[in-house]
Amino acid sequence: MNQKESPSMTVRESWRTGLRAELRADRLLPAVIAGVLLGFIEVIVAISLGSLVFSGDLALYLPRGIGIALITSVVSMLVIALRTSAPGILGSIQDTPVVLMAVIGGTLVGSMAADDPALLPTVLVAIASISILTGGFLWALGMFNLGKLTRYIPYPVIGGFLAATGWLLAQGSIGTMAGYELTLDTLPDLLKSDQLILWGPGVAFGLTLFFGLRYITHDLTLPGLLVGAFLVFFAVLLITGTSIDEATDKGLLLGDSGSAASWKLLAPSDWIDADWSAILGQSANIGAILALSAVGLLLNASGLELLFKQDMDLNRELRAAGLANVLTGAAGGMVGYPTLSLTRLSHRVGGRGRLPGIAAAGVCAVMLFAGTSILAYFPVMILGGLLLFLGLDFLDEWAIRGYRKFNRLDYGVVLLILGVIATTDFLTGVGVGLVVMVILFVLQYTRIDVVRHALTGAEIHSNMERSAHHRRALAEMGDHVYMLELQGYIFFGTANALLERVRARLDDPDRLPLRFLVLDFRRVSGLDSSSVLSFGKIRLLADQRDFVLVLTHLAPAMQRQFDRDGLAASS
């Protein structure tokens, strides 16, 4: 990135200025080369993710799925390239929301008959609606300057979800290559010889990508391995005398599903024929897509800030991604937003500014509208291997290396969410994670001492000048007065700890009997209704043990809270 856009520049002025600079000869060629390279990589990613959603009972509609994924890439790359606040950022179809879309699609298929004419319209409308809703949500966050609010989701919950995303990607990769969903019941079938040839090479390729990119950090490693995989695959076909038709019949190539990749706008009849009750039944998963898309976008933006060493306008990024997803949804596409990996690759190979994203979008468009027949020769093992690689990458980062990233309790939450999602569903896993994080927060916050200072009458005095006799009396009798200077927000956990502290003072045999308990609320920001119960118990102790309870510096709202509960207070 060579320039930082002035906040006063309009979006149109900024990209026009940047594009004119990029059209210079010294920048044009590297940008185009980077764009073409990134475009082909994006095509592979789009085909992989499209195949993930349209697998199993939906495999019959795989051509439509691939078309949907490719139009998503076209729109996301183009809109984000033109409207991002930081020239050089690339958009992409995103795996995390697409995995959830695959879950939703599988649930919809399970709730409807395979021959139900409403099945395909329901799935297509669900995908489009989710993208439009996601776009509207992101745009609204940006318009109301709420970009930073989405960062309050507990980090371990995000980590657990991403680890589970990796598990489902890895599981889905086997299903994509084998042609059926991987479950405990179908697991023995994978070991048959005719099945091993379908998924074995793909697993080997996925592991090669995973370990190769860990030890070879050059940015051209991934493109090189992809090209090498193509060459090895067709070399093996040549050596073994396997024809293209035979490879297609065996399920090694996409075949007609690839060559027939198609896209068209949803017809009004699709929206009418869709089973809306089934779609609305997925509201929880749809809500998860909205929230996690916002979090994923902002996490990527944070990484891009580190990459480019400059601050980004997060709200503008939200608005740009929001517009992209609304347009993508209107076109029937999936969810997309800025990507860290492709942007970094573009940056390393010399692509700067907006042109690489525009060129990459052009490659995806050509593949969709003019060159889809070449997809018939696309090896299924490469699709599955790429999905497996993405899944292993997530699992490695969050479920394995997360051991060093999180403390032990938080890491346990990550593994818990992973296990729950792997055995149940996303909603249950995220819900369990949030509940556990709330419990841990309460337990940890309870350990914070609500008492800032604990003083006796002998240790604190007024500004009044006193005689030596009175000072001696205060020193001798001051222990009858116990003053606690409170702080922070008081809730039931910390209020109970305060009650126990007062009890300990009353039962201390080495102290003088308590006659005055002073609670200073000067530094208290607020208290919840349940904490008043503990203060009521302190008042009861005052009546039973014959000491005076004094509450000082109560804010009006806290004063009303105590009055409602019948607690007398002095100030």
Side-chain angles (χ1 to χ4, degrees), residues 483-543:
M483 192 189 82
L484 299 176
E485 183 180 338
L486 308 181
Q487 63 181 351
Y489 185 84
I490 301 176
F491 72 110
F492 63 90
T494 51
N496 185 71
L498 175 64
L499 172 63
E500 295 302 320
R501 187 165 188 154
V502 172
R503 284 174 173 163
R505 166 63 182 85
L506 290 170
D507 297 334
D508 190 343
D510 298 328
R511 307 286 293 274
L512 293 176
L514 185 63
R515 295 180 58 186
F516 296 92
L517 174 63
V518 181
L519 300 180
D520 185 355
F521 287 80
R522 188 195 321 260
R523 291 181 170 82
V524 174
S525 59
L527 66 162
D528 66 2
S529 57
S530 60
S531 66
V532 178
L533 177 63
S534 294
F535 287 104
K537 292 180 179 179
I538 294 176
R539 176 54 194 245
L540 183 61
L541 283 175
D543 294 337

Side-chain angles (χ1 to χ4, degrees), residues 46-109:
I47 295 173
S48 300
L49 295 178
S51 301
L52 180 66
V53 176
F54 286 81
S55 59
D57 291 335
L58 290 175
L60 179 64
Y61 310 109
L62 181 57
R64 189 74 177 267
I66 293 175
I68 289 173
L70 286 174
I71 196 64
T72 303
S73 297
V74 172
V75 176
S76 297
M77 286 187 145
L78 186 60
V79 174
I80 290 173
L82 296 179
R83 300 191 65 87
T84 180
S85 63
I89 292 179
L90 277 82
S92 173
I93 184 173
Q94 292 294 327
D95 43 22
T96 300
V98 169
V99 168
L100 266 179
M101 284 185 173
V103 173
I104 292 174
T107 304
L108 291 175
V109 169

Side-chain angles (χ1 to χ4, degrees), residues 1 77 80-81 84-91 304 308 312 317 338-339 343 353-354 357:
M1 185 181 304
M77 286 187 145
I80 290 173
T84 180
S85 63
I89 292 179
L90 277 82
L304 291 169
F308 292 134
M312 292 172 55
E317 295 305 319
T339 173
T343 301
R354 304 182 188 277

Side-chain angles (χ1 to χ4, degrees), residues 348-541:
R348 288 295 185 87
V349 299
R352 301 289 190 272
R354 304 182 188 277
L355 192 55
I358 297 173
V363 171
C364 294
V366 169
M367 292 293 291
L368 175 60
F369 296 112
T372 54
S373 60
I374 196 174
L375 298 179
Y377 304 100
F378 202 97
V380 176
M381 58 153 283
I382 293 183
L383 291 181
L386 187 57
L387 286 173
L388 178 62
F389 159 68
L390 293 173
L392 292 176
D393 196 45
F394 274 115
L395 286 169
D396 176 58
E397 181 175 358
W398 298 102
I400 298 177
R401 287 188 289 170
Y403 182 80
R404 298 180 179 178
K405 186 180 299 185
F406 299 98
N407 62 45
R408 296 299 170 263
L409 284 176
D410 288 347
Y411 181 64
V413 173
V414 172
L415 296 183
L416 174 64
I417 295 174
L418 169 60
V420 172
I421 292 179
T423 54
T424 57
D425 53 55
F426 271 102
L427 177 61
T428 303
V430 173
V432 168
L434 287 173
V435 170
V436 172
M437 287 304 300
V438 169
I439 294 173
L440 291 178
F441 171 78
V442 171
L443 292 176
Q444 292 173 358
Y445 196 84
T446 303
R447 297 176 183 174
I448 298 176
D449 195 349
V450 73
V451 177
R452 187 169 185 264
H453 294 298
L455 304 168
T456 68
E459 298 168 323
I460 186 168
H461 309 286
S462 68
N463 294 327
M464 181 183 295
E465 289 291 335
R466 301 184 186 275
S467 65
H469 171 71
H470 287 163
R471 289 196 299 271
R472 284 195 300 271
L474 285 174
E476 293 173 1
M477 309 299 292
D479 198 35
H480 286 297
V481 179
Y482 190 42
M483 192 189 82
L484 299 176
E485 183 180 338
L486 308 181
Q487 63 181 351
Y489 185 84
I490 301 176
F491 72 110
F492 63 90
T494 51
N496 185 71
L498 175 64
L499 172 63
E500 295 302 320
R501 187 165 188 154
V502 172
R503 284 174 173 163
R505 166 63 182 85
L506 290 170
D507 297 334
D508 190 343
D510 298 328
R511 307 286 293 274
L512 293 176
L514 185 63
R515 295 180 58 186
F516 296 92
L517 174 63
V518 181
L519 300 180
D520 185 355
F521 287 80
R522 188 195 321 260
R523 291 181 170 82
V524 174
S525 59
L527 66 162
D528 66 2
S529 57
S530 60
S531 66
V532 178
L533 177 63
S534 294
F535 287 104
K537 292 180 179 179
I538 294 176
R539 176 54 194 245
L540 183 61
L541 283 175

Side-chain angles (χ1 to χ4, degrees), residues 2 113 150 219 237 240 329 450 529:
N2 293 336
T150 55
D219 289 316
L237 293 186
T240 58
V450 73
S529 57

